[in-house]
Amino acid sequence: MTAAMVRAVATRDSEVLVRVADPIDVFSARWAAQRIATAIGFASAARQEIAIVVSELATNILKYGVRGDIAMHRVDDAALGAGLELIAFDDGPPLTDLAMAIQDGCGDGGPIDPARQLGRGGIGSGLGAIIRLSDLFEYRPGPGRKAFRAVRFVRRPRRPGASP
Amino acid sequence: MTRVTDDGGNDDGNGAGTHLTEDVADALLVLANVADGDLDTRVRVHGDDGSPLATLFAGINEMIEALRAERERGVAYQAELEDKLTTIERQRAAIRELSTPVMEVWEGVLCVPVVGIVDSARSSQMTDVLLQAIVDKRTRCAIIDITGIEVMDTRTVDHFIRMARAVRLLGAECVLTGVSPGIAHTMVSMGIDLTDVTTHRSLREALKTHVLARRGR
């Protein structure tokens, strides 16, 4: 078996697309991400952080996009090394205000009234958590389906302002 | 596919006795194969359609065919069952992780074991369930065990502490157990005020302290 063949097989094994249309799919997505993350070589705590990112992406699909998919695959960056890329697509309308939505305690429509936070099924910090626990974050409003892309590297690059 | 064949000239009229012996031997061989689990084998039926032997052999073949169909159904059913069991196993794990049971371990003492992953949706759901349970069960003390949870988002940790304050406002004590080094570090680096939260190293220790305190009264 040549090296090229080995690589092709590895790429196929580490590429997954998970459909998210039901609350149980949040778990399936997390489960799939755990398998890939383990294969890539993420440590236990990092895998839990990835699981949180996947959960937030999947929960957002269910909440705002109704249904969608999460694509997961290994990336090998020349400078940053191995990592896991997660791209969540959904059919919902694009965000009206990204800057607002990524603020903690805010939904797409603005700050969440603390009195209404109970029973809302969230605390308005999903996107914030995704950004904090990922090394790269990108929002693509379209054309076509909107997408959130998050990449986490095995060796986290130092981010400005982050504590050591 | 094994088919017992005999090309040794059954039609050359060597005599009915030889035919009979050969045919019966053929049939016995087929039956032996069937007993071994080979259900693709068939008895060769030849000669007169109306003869008792031909009828018997045809009957045997029908029986083997029925057996084969039955086995195929069984295999398909087995595969389906295993598939379902896997799904159930995964769903059970999901339910365990996605839900947060609130148990009354002693009169006035609630215990909330949190396993798996805590994301923003779950922390919110946990707050709803816990605060309602504290009111419903007239709780004096709520023990939240987060053993096994290595990391949480900073905002979720913050929400946890807010939950503890809300518990305090409802007149109950909030006890946190099994805090991992990672989460402890997050809490300290966030400068969270922990005056409303009591912590214990393990759930066991917390139970000992708080259940014994209530038994003594």
Side-chain angles (χ1 to χ4, degrees):
Chain A
M1 202 187 283
T2 65
M5 275 169 78
V6 174
R7 207 158 135 172
V9 171
T11 315
R12 205 180 311 139
D13 277 354
S14 56
E15 252 189 66
V16 175
L17 187 73
V18 180
R19 186 112 182 96
V20 179
D22 183 273
I24 199 88
D25 297 333
V26 176
F27 185 79
S28 309
R30 211 194 260 170
W31 198 67
Q34 288 301 288
R35 285 186 52 157
I36 301 178
T38 309
I40 294 173
F42 281 99
S44 165
R47 288 204 303 271
Q48 282 199 12
E49 292 185 336
I50 288 169
I52 294 172
V53 172
V54 173
S55 295
E56 302 291 3
L57 287 171
T59 308
N60 278 351
I61 288 179
L62 293 176
K63 257 181 166 166
Y64 305 109
V66 187
R67 70 183 70 80
D69 300 284
I70 302 180
M72 317 175 176
H73 53 93
R74 182 194 169 111
V75 285
D76 284 288
D77 187 276
L80 300 167
L84 173 63
E85 182 178 58
L86 305 161
I87 307 175
F89 301 94
D90 72 57
D91 303 328
L95 293 178
T96 46
D97 187 351
L98 177 71
M100 178 70 82
I102 62 175
Q103 273 181 52
D104 289 333
C106 293
D108 185 32
I112 297 161
D113 180 0
R116 281 189 50 238
Q117 211 178 66
L118 274 185
R120 192 182 157 272
I123 54 177
S125 67
L127 281 180
I130 293 168
I131 292 167
R132 278 186 290 273
L133 301 175
S134 305
D135 298 316
L136 293 175
F137 175 79
E138 190 191 346
Y139 166 63
R140 299 178 194 152
R145 304 203 288 173
K146 75 165 182 279
F148 295 95
R149 171 173 168 261
V151 184
R152 168 74 184 242
F153 292 100
V154 176
R155 299 173 65 106
R156 299 199 75 175
R158 268 186 62 81
R159 293 165 304 156
S163 60
Chain B
M1 190 179 276
T2 311
R3 203 174 288 273
V4 177
T5 49
D6 179 10
D7 295 320
N10 277 316
D11 312 309
D12 59 6
N14 271 349
T18 330
H19 274 298
L20 190 65
T21 317
E22 276 175 7
D23 287 351
V24 170
D26 177 20
L28 285 175
L29 203 59
V30 167
L31 287 176
N33 285 341
V34 169
D36 279 346
D38 177 9
L39 298 182
D40 287 325
T41 177
R42 295 287 179 280
V43 185
R44 205 158 53 109
V45 185
H46 52 79
D48 191 0
D49 271 355
S51 78
L53 211 57
T55 315
L56 174 67
F57 286 179
I60 290 175
N61 282 344
E62 266 172 41
M63 201 185 71
I64 298 172
E65 179 55 34
L67 218 63
R68 197 177 61 91
E70 194 57 44
R71 187 168 72 178
E72 267 172 14
R73 251 202 308 280
V75 168
Y77 183 70
Q78 179 89 21
E80 199 183 323
L81 198 70
E82 271 166 19
D83 201 41
K84 283 214 170 93
L85 279 177
T86 320
T87 310
I88 290 172
E89 190 44 54
R90 256 174 72 185
Q91 283 174 341
R92 189 177 292 157
I95 289 165
R96 200 169 53 224
E97 277 210 9
L98 298 175
S99 67
T100 308
V102 176
M103 301 176 283
E104 192 169 25
V105 289
W106 199 261
E107 208 186 320
V109 182
L110 285 187
C111 183
V112 188
V114 185
V115 290
I117 298 295
V118 182
D119 56 9
S120 62
R122 191 163 180 224
S123 74
S124 150
Q125 173 236 348
M126 240 161 62
T127 313
D128 293 356
V129 173
L130 179 64
L131 296 185
Q132 198 55 53
I134 284 174
V135 175
D136 292 347
K137 300 200 160 120
R138 301 158 172 273
T139 304
R140 305 290 306 159
C141 170
I143 303 171
I144 302 162
D145 180 53
I146 54 170
T147 309
I149 295 190
E150 287 177 65
V151 287
M152 274 192 233
D153 175 42
T154 47
R155 175 70 185 187
T156 314
V157 171
D158 181 59
H159 184 77
F160 245 75
I161 303 302
R162 282 165 200 255
M163 174 171 81
R165 289 202 188 111
V167 169
R168 196 59 153 230
L169 272 177
L170 293 175
E173 189 181 352
C174 192
V175 180
L176 203 53
T177 67
V179 178
S180 73
I183 293 173
H185 181 77
T186 307
M187 284 184 180
V188 173
S189 60
M190 284 173 72
I192 287 175
D193 174 18
L194 291 165
T195 44
D196 287 328
V197 195
T198 313
T199 52
H200 280 281
R201 199 174 305 142
S202 65
L203 177 61
R204 181 193 159 96
E205 230 167 88
L207 284 173
K208 221 160 81 185
T209 310
H210 294 275
V211 169
L212 283 180
R214 271 152 191 87
R215 262 170 77 184
R217 258 174 231 165

